[in-house]
Amino acid sequence: MARIWFIAEDDSGFQIARRILEKRGIRVQVERLLPTGSNPNIFQLAKQIDRLIATVRQDKRWSPQDCIAVLHDWDIHKQPDRTAYDTIRAACERHKQEGLPIKEVTAKDEVEAWLLADSGVCAWLAQKPDKKCDTRPKPKDMLDNWCKDARKPPYKSEKGLKEVVNHIAGDGDRYSPSLREALTHLKNAPCIQP
């Protein structure tokens, strides 16, 4: 079976993306690579992007049917300096021009926006799916507040993340254009089994 290699900004983004693929019935084996360091983030991802891509290509499991998705938050509300984002985009474009099946996948504004629009997560937290999820500043904070209001473990905790991921229905693309774009790209990717 072909693989999709997620090079993700952090583990929560990877877990969310993997679960959405599972719930959508997208048949693909999923692998994860994160930037090194105790607290992976966008700046580490930008510094390490070429090395992480090389690591995937050198892995003995890599095959021509595999593809790479570089997943990160857009962070337009909290990161006015776009240097790290430009570095990631340029690396993806450069490798794509070399024939590598790679796609930069950006969640607007954070990957948690996809959860604000997910019917399973919203039902579990007694909320309605957010039709403006991609334009919300700090969706991670909003999701954490929803968890607190519903007397659930804080989203920003390991237990809270696990609980939220377990309730993903995978249908947030109804209201999240950034998730819809990510899923549309995957439909035609060489790593997706028909």
Side-chain angles (χ1 to χ4, degrees):
M1 179 178 283
R3 291 177 172 84
I4 184 166
W5 299 77
F6 275 104
I7 298 175
E9 172 182 356
D10 58 32
D11 190 54
S12 62
F14 166 75
Q15 287 186 46
I16 291 164
R18 180 181 62 191
R19 181 66 170 180
I20 290 170
L21 294 178
E22 287 172 4
K23 294 306 260 183
R24 295 298 288 246
I26 296 174
R27 294 181 49 218
V28 65
Q29 188 167 338
V30 180
E31 302 290 340
R32 175 193 78 160
L33 274 89
L34 301 177
T36 57
S38 60
N39 186 22
N41 60 49
I42 193 70
F43 303 106
Q44 290 171 318
L45 178 60
K47 286 178 188 173
Q48 299 175 31
I49 188 66
D50 285 312
R51 182 186 60 77
L52 290 164
I53 292 168
T55 299
V56 170
R57 295 182 83 176
Q58 294 166 2
D59 191 292
K60 63 183 177 185
R61 298 169 296 163
W62 172 259
S63 82
Q65 293 78 34
D66 290 359
C67 48
I68 300 170
V70 178
L71 174 65
H72 65 87
D73 297 337
W74 187 236
D75 296 324
I76 198 72
H77 297 289
K78 68 180 181 183
Q79 290 297 338
D81 180 358
R82 306 309 292 170
T83 305
Y85 305 87
D86 294 342
T87 299
I88 294 166
R89 174 163 285 122
C92 290
E93 284 302 315
R94 188 172 60 255
H95 288 283
K96 186 176 184 179
Q97 289 175 0
E98 294 170 359
L100 186 66
I102 188 169
K103 172 72 175 167
E104 179 187 25
V105 178
T106 55
K108 307 261 186 325
D109 192 51
E110 297 171 331
V111 73
E112 287 78 12
W114 297 351
L115 302 177
L116 298 178
D118 187 274
S119 67
V121 172
C122 290
W124 180 63
L125 296 173
Q127 298 286 334
K128 292 183 180 178
D130 186 350
K131 295 179 181 178
K132 297 180 181 181
C133 61
D134 277 6
T135 61
R136 300 274 182 213
K138 301 181 180 179
K140 185 182 296 184
D141 291 345
M142 190 169 172
L143 183 60
D144 200 42
N145 288 334
W146 283 6
C147 287
K148 289 176 187 172
D149 291 346
R151 299 183 191 273
K152 306 292 185 190
Y155 170 72
K156 294 178 182 179
S157 71
E158 188 176 327
K159 183 177 180 183
L161 172 63
K162 185 177 181 179
E163 292 260 351
V164 168
V165 167
N166 285 338
H167 287 87
I168 291 174
D171 60 1
D173 58 315
R174 293 175 303 149
Y175 301 123
S176 171
S178 67
L179 177 55
R180 190 174 317 120
E181 180 182 330
L183 290 170
T184 298
H185 169 74
L186 286 175
K187 286 181 186 176
N188 299 318
C191 53
I192 303 301
Q193 302 295 313

